Amino acid sequence: QVQLVESGGGLVQAGGSLRLSCSASRRTGSMGWFRQAPWKVREFVAVFDWNAATYADSVEGRFTISRDNAKNMVYLQMNSVKPEDTAVYYCAARDGWGSNTSPQAFGYWGQGTQVTVSS
């Protein structure tokens, strides 16, 4: 079992930047970020496998996922944010490695952190 805790969410103006952090209770395999707007399904944002990152088309070139295995941490650097980025952002992890972008592939989830982008 893994506990995940996100932090770093908040209010930011369009075009600004925000950095989300996720702390895991132990080392995991792949880790990623998903987001969910009110009354919408959870959607993929980014995943970091053992050696590479994969991004949703909507955030490619703007967001960067990184990982610090020594600290059991994963980060999401959000640059040039847009109002449509507004959502609750969830950190997710799985025991194995892979770049699967489906939320069903991830067995561990944080409680989420709210990101609101104002126009």
Side-chain angles (χ1 to χ4, degrees):
Q1 190 64 35
V2 179
Q3 283 72 50
L4 304 174
V5 181
E6 306 97 333
S7 63
L11 177 65
V12 62
Q13 290 187 343
S17 297
L18 204 64
R19 183 176 175 84
L20 306 183
S21 300
C22 174
S23 177
S25 60
R26 66 166 173 84
R27 183 174 178 270
T28 67
S30 298
M31 298 185 72
W33 291 92
F34 294 77
R35 65 188 183 187
Q36 187 168 17
W39 305 107
K40 295 186 181 296
V41 298
R42 193 164 299 185
E43 66 176 3
F44 167 75
V45 175
V47 63
F48 197 94
D49 201 355
W50 68 275
N51 69 337
T54 301
Y55 300 94
D57 290 342
S58 59
V59 306
E60 183 79 49
R62 298 188 298 119
F63 292 6
T64 302
I65 187 172
S66 60
R67 186 170 181 174
D68 186 339
N69 289 327
K71 296 181 178 180
N72 296 328
M73 298 283 291
V74 66
Y75 307 92
L76 185 69
Q77 179 66 45
M78 306 168 61
N79 296 329
S80 302
V81 295
K82 305 174 181 179
E84 51 262 45
D85 293 323
T86 296
V88 176
Y89 282 71
Y90 295 90
C91 177
R94 55 182 286 182
D95 286 325
W97 296 105
S99 57
N100 196 316
T101 61
S102 171
Q104 283 69 44
F106 296 83
Y108 310 114
W109 295 86
Q111 292 190 44
T113 184
Q114 175 70 232
V115 173
T116 302
V117 181
S118 63
S119 60

